[in-house]
Amino acid sequence: MTDEQIMTFIAKEKANNTSRSLIVTKLIEKGVDIQRIRAIRSKYEKQKNSEVMGAKNISGIDDQTEGRLRHNNVDSKKTQRKNKNFNQRDDNEVEDKESTEYQKLRNKRKQIRTIDKELDFIMPDSLAQEDDEEEEIKVKIPKEKGKKVFGRDIFSDTHLTFEPELNIATPIDYRLGAGDAVFVDVWGASQKQYTATVSPEGDINIEGFGPIYVSGMTVAQANTAVRSKLGQRFGGSNIKLTIGQTKSITVNVMGEVAAPGTITLPAFSTVFHALYTVGGTNEIGTLRAIKVYRNNRLISTIDLYDYILNGNLRGNVRLASNDVIIVEPYKCLVNISGKVKRPMFYEMRSDESVSTLIKFAGGFTGDAYEENVRLIRKKGGEMSIYTLNEFERGTFQLADADSVTVDSVLDRYKNMVELRGAVMRPGKYQMDGNISTLRQLIAAAGGLSEEAITTRGLIHRRKADRTLKAESFNTGAILGHTEADITLRNEDIVFIPSRKDLNDMLSLTIEGEVQYPGTYEYADSLTIEDFILKAGGLTDKSSTAKVDVSRRLRDRSALKSGEQIAEIYSFSIKDGFVIDGKPGFVLLPFDEVFVRISPGYVEQQHATIEGEVNFSGKYALTKKNARLSDLVKQAGGCTPEAYLSGARLLRQLLPHEIQKYQQIHKIVTLDDSTELRKILVDSEKTIAINLDKALANPGNDKWDIILRNGDQLFIPRLNNTVSISGEVMYPNTVAYKPNAALSYYVNQSGGYRERARKSKAFVINPNGTVTRVRSARDIKPGCNIVIPTRPKRNWTAMGQIISLSMSLVTLAAVLANTFKK
């Protein structure tokens, strides 16, 4: 691309609101490198400075709109940080030879940033966004493991730039120097405006007046000098000098920083800005005593902790050219762990104590043991340990490598007693104060509950060695003031037994034909009639002639078991739930009541008939032994087109029948899991019938099958075709030919295949019966002829047989020779 094409492309993309980062990426993809962008920028700057006569402004920026606002006239802080520390080579010179994916992406990101920076002259909105690239390339840089020192990462946080505010009122102590742009405004009787820049010699050249020396002057002093020079011509007018674009300053940052050296900064920069530019302190740099020298004289000492913890900017002076910032190694680094709010390493001064360290760490957490703090010191050849109370912590001064630990409170109580069991409000209570005895504790818990056993209670008490000791007491006697009250101790556990706890949960069970069978809580004096009503009453199919009660045997004085294991009581129920013969039979705990199904209760059962009958549909079975002929008779008989030999019966299998078929199938298929899954989902089965013979012999057990609820009978029309499947060349369906042999139908399907088992051919008849094909009479209309497959020979088994035979022959020969001898 030519320079004109590059500029046209950028202008077009800007008109389409394409993001700046995407424009840079597209330029790189089109082969535009950093040298081309720098050449275009140089050409633009010459045009802007009128070094090229008649040059066209290609940037699209109106110079008149820039006004007098100041802008950063040096490289951004991030760029300087990269140049100081990470970019020892120019980005366009970085060869893509590094092996890892991250390194390749990092080089590309550097190239994008460099080109983007060079495009500031035509796209003045910077990439925000130098940090946004980090998010676009989702590659995480592994962080080095090390000590987490409080405050050390403040200058590596990309959200804190410490960039100075340039467009503020010029400070009264600001002194002009080479590079400062000034505006001289004249108004009143005369109107005039002059612009100038302080030269390296320290003067500004005002057109028509000559040079005026201002270097080193404050703004007020410079105003006086300008008025003195211009006042002779502009009498009666106001004259004022203001600062426009400020000069740049160079500052030396030395010592324990990430990238020491000389950096260029805007004129209003402070110490924090300089530290951020060089990447902050390194792993051994101090945070508590950063020194600033000007003209070989110490002018400020900065404590970053004062800024971080208190927001105090004291010491963060505005820098001047040739200032020197010194970051020395830390003097004392201390670790604090345990129950403080911000455990980590802290840099301490020699005059600071353990209390100050705890304050830096945010103070104690709620569960901290504040009485004693443990400090370990590693000096003098051996380590020492100190246990510091509240008063000692305020005066105990720290040394480098000290380690402070704050323990948590113990998992035990010092004023607690617990009450369990049959009381109104069991739980833990404060032992001292209003509760010091057993009687007071029970009263505070609302007293005993109704099921409490008052003859005996128990206290679990800890001995001096923390083992438990049990002490019993008479609850009722203590509450009745007939026995002395018991004084409680810390961590006593008092237990009041309950009748419910000592006995099984008393219950009654009812099963059978009631609305809500199940287990119910026992109630005294409950009769059978009441229990049935409690269970929702009888169902429609219940029997009132037989209700059984099973009662468990209870003989606590027995020495051996007998033959009887339960007592059974049988009752009948009259109208109004009155027990016949024994009204008011009272149930005992754990009785079981059984309400039977009435033998005279039978729900309607149905069978369905479809096909060639006069009235198809669902019919109710009127008797237990209803048969096929009865169902056909109910349906009005068969139509003339009915093919009775093809009628079939579909029956829903019961759960125990499905289980039986599964067991049989597992035996037949040798536990073939695939075939077993087929039978598991098949809950219907075709029943082989001969409807023509059943209608001809009604009531005959051999032909006229008894129906069952849910049976489905289908009587088709005559199907004058025969299907052939299995081991034939082309499975087919052909017209039925009376008296035709098996070979006729096989030939209609292209003949047998190689593995056809001809002698085992069979037919599946429309009625569900299966017949071996022995003659033409076995082939009927609508049937399906199946030619099975001959099984593969097991050559392994055959070889074993041959080997065994040879072994037997050899053994026989050996025996024969033996007998001959």
Side-chain angles (χ1 to χ4, degrees), residues 40-290:
I40 295 174
R41 180 172 184 170
S42 176
K43 182 186 296 185
Y44 162 74
E45 290 175 347
K46 290 180 180 180
Q47 292 173 351
K48 185 176 179 181
N49 296 329
S50 301
E51 295 179 16
V52 180
M53 297 298 295
K56 180 183 177 182
N57 185 355
I58 62 174
S59 70
I61 302 174
D62 186 359
D63 293 337
Q64 298 300 321
T65 64
E66 294 185 4
R68 300 186 179 186
L69 293 179
R70 300 167 184 147
H71 60 272
N72 197 343
N73 55 356
V74 297
D75 283 343
S76 69
K77 300 165 291 303
K78 292 186 176 69
T79 303
Q80 290 196 61
R81 289 174 65 177
K82 294 181 180 74
N83 291 336
K84 292 294 294 179
N85 197 21
F86 307 111
N87 280 353
Q88 299 302 323
R89 296 176 293 171
D90 198 357
D91 288 318
N92 63 306
E93 297 175 355
V94 176
E95 297 181 359
D96 201 13
K97 296 180 180 179
E98 296 157 17
S99 58
T100 66
E101 188 66 22
Y102 163 70
Q103 290 169 328
K104 294 178 181 178
L105 292 174
R106 186 187 66 181
N107 290 341
K108 183 177 180 181
R109 189 168 69 244
K110 288 180 180 179
Q111 186 180 9
I112 292 174
R113 285 199 301 267
T114 306
I115 293 179
D116 175 77
K117 177 62 181 176
E118 294 294 333
L119 287 175
D120 278 345
F121 75 98
I122 194 169
M123 291 188 294
D125 296 327
S126 72
L127 256 186
Q129 314 174 49
E130 289 176 307
D131 295 330
D132 290 347
E133 309 151 7
E134 303 288 341
E135 296 177 1
E136 292 173 6
I137 303 178
K138 302 295 184 181
V139 179
K140 293 184 177 180
I141 306 173
K143 295 183 178 180
E144 296 183 1
K145 295 182 179 180
K147 298 177 181 179
K148 177 67 174 176
V149 179
F150 178 72
R152 183 163 289 169
D153 57 354
I154 186 172
F155 294 114
S156 61
D157 188 344
T158 57
H159 299 288
L160 293 175
T161 64
F162 300 98
E163 184 173 354
E165 175 58 52
L166 299 178
N167 292 298
I168 59 174
T170 306
I172 59 175
D173 59 345
Y174 181 78
R175 295 185 178 275
L176 279 72
D180 280 334
V182 298
F183 298 94
V184 179
D185 296 305
V186 181
W187 74 96
S190 301
Q191 300 288 333
K192 193 70 174 177
Q193 182 185 83
Y194 300 94
T195 60
T197 302
V198 180
S199 69
E201 288 75 22
D203 52 29
I204 55 174
N205 192 1
I206 305 298
E207 182 181 357
F209 294 91
I212 303 174
Y213 189 82
V214 295
S215 180
M217 296 183 182
T218 64
V219 176
Q221 293 169 342
N223 264 290
T224 302
V226 170
R227 290 193 190 103
S228 174
K229 190 77 171 180
L230 275 62
Q232 300 173 4
R233 182 180 301 181
F234 296 109
S237 298
N238 298 306
I239 302 172
K240 183 179 181 180
L241 178 145
T242 58
I243 304 297
Q245 179 63 39
T246 58
K247 62 182 179 292
S248 301
I249 60 174
T250 57
V251 176
N252 299 292
V253 185
M254 310 304 292
E256 304 302 331
V257 292
T262 302
I263 56 175
T264 302
L265 300 173
F268 294 165
S269 296
T270 64
V271 179
F272 286 178
H273 185 206
L275 290 172
Y276 176 78
T277 302
V278 297
T281 63
N282 61 20
E283 291 184 355
I284 65 171
T286 181
L287 300 171
R288 308 296 309 279
I290 300 173

Side-chain angles (χ1 to χ4, degrees), residues 291-301 322-324:
K291 298 177 181 179
V292 182
Y293 291 89
R294 182 172 297 166
N295 298 324
N296 296 322
R297 185 172 60 88
L298 179 65
I299 64 170
S300 177
T301 301
N322 298 319
D323 280 355
V324 179

Side-chain angles (χ1 to χ4, degrees), residues 697-713:
N697 302 280
N700 188 295
D701 289 336
K702 182 177 180 181
W703 309 111
D704 202 4
I705 294 176
I706 296 175
L707 296 174
R708 200 165 71 183
N709 185 39
D711 282 352
Q712 302 174 49
L713 177 62

Side-chain angles (χ1 to χ4, degrees), residues 288 347-354 356 360 396-398:
R288 308 296 309 279
E347 183 183 346
M348 307 299 294
R349 293 200 300 256
S350 59
D351 60 342
E352 291 177 333
S353 64
V354 175
T356 306
F360 286 168
F396 195 96
Q397 295 182 347
L398 294 162

Side-chain angles (χ1 to χ4, degrees), residues 384-607:
S384 304
I385 188 167
Y386 301 90
T387 303
L388 308 174
N389 59 32
E390 181 180 0
F391 300 102
E392 293 171 332
R393 294 196 294 265
T395 58
F396 195 96
Q397 295 182 347
L398 294 162
D400 189 30
D402 279 355
S403 179
V404 178
T405 303
V406 179
D407 291 332
S408 63
V409 297
L410 296 177
D411 187 17
R412 64 170 66 176
Y413 295 88
K414 62 181 180 180
N415 62 340
M416 183 275 298
V417 64
E418 185 174 359
L419 182 59
R420 300 177 183 176
V423 292
M424 291 299 184
R425 298 181 183 276
K428 296 176 180 179
Y429 288 85
Q430 178 183 350
M431 186 199 68
D432 50 9
N434 296 327
I435 300 175
S436 59
T437 66
L438 178 61
R439 191 181 299 139
Q440 292 172 347
L441 175 63
I442 295 175
L448 302 178
S449 60
E450 292 79 2
E451 67 272 10
I453 297 176
T454 60
T455 57
R456 193 176 185 86
L458 191 65
I459 296 178
H460 278 181
R461 176 165 289 170
R462 292 196 178 276
K463 297 187 293 185
D465 59 357
R466 303 290 296 173
T467 58
L468 288 177
K469 173 186 177 183
E471 295 183 8
S472 60
F473 57 87
N474 188 319
T475 310
I478 291 176
L479 295 180
H481 296 271
T482 58
E483 286 189 7
D485 201 357
I486 298 176
T487 301
L488 298 175
R489 298 179 185 174
N490 182 39
E491 294 188 304
D492 277 355
I493 300 176
V494 180
F495 177 71
I496 306 297
S498 168
R499 293 186 181 87
K500 288 184 178 180
D501 296 333
L502 296 180
N503 297 314
D504 294 335
M505 180 65 183
L506 303 183
S507 63
L508 293 171
T509 302
I510 187 167
E511 297 182 10
E513 298 308 315
V514 291
Q515 296 294 341
Y516 307 109
T519 300
Y520 292 80
E521 185 178 359
Y522 171 77
D524 288 338
S525 304
L526 188 68
T527 64
I528 297 178
E529 301 96 310
D530 296 335
F531 195 22
I532 292 175
L533 288 174
K534 189 175 183 179
L538 302 172
T539 64
D540 184 54
K541 56 184 177 180
S542 62
S543 171
T544 60
K546 185 174 177 59
V547 176
D548 296 331
V549 177
S550 170
R551 177 166 292 171
R552 65 173 58 174
L553 298 178
R554 298 181 182 85
D555 187 0
R556 296 184 176 180
S557 62
L559 299 176
K560 61 179 180 179
S561 62
E563 294 183 0
Q564 189 175 359
I565 59 174
E567 293 178 343
I568 304 296
Y569 303 90
S570 295
F571 307 91
S572 59
I573 302 176
K574 293 182 179 180
D575 294 338
F577 293 101
V578 177
I579 297 299
D580 188 18
K582 294 182 180 179
F585 181 84
V586 177
L587 298 173
L588 295 180
F590 309 110
D591 278 356
E592 296 176 345
V593 179
F594 300 91
V595 180
R596 310 297 179 182
I597 299 176
S598 173
Y601 176 83
V602 181
E603 294 180 354
Q604 296 94 328
Q605 299 183 9
H606 305 85

Side-chain angles (χ1 to χ4, degrees), residues 307-346:
Y307 168 69
I308 297 171
L309 296 172
N310 305 317
N312 194 335
L313 289 170
R314 182 175 50 197
N316 185 30
V317 297
R318 190 170 65 251
L319 297 171
S321 283
N322 298 319
D323 280 355
V324 179
I325 301 173
I326 301 295
V327 179
E328 298 176 347
Y330 68 82
K331 297 292 192 302
C332 176
L333 197 63
V334 178
N335 179 36
I336 184 169
S337 59
K339 295 300 178 176
V340 290
K341 295 176 181 176
R342 194 166 46 237
M344 61 175 66
F345 283 86
Y346 291 85

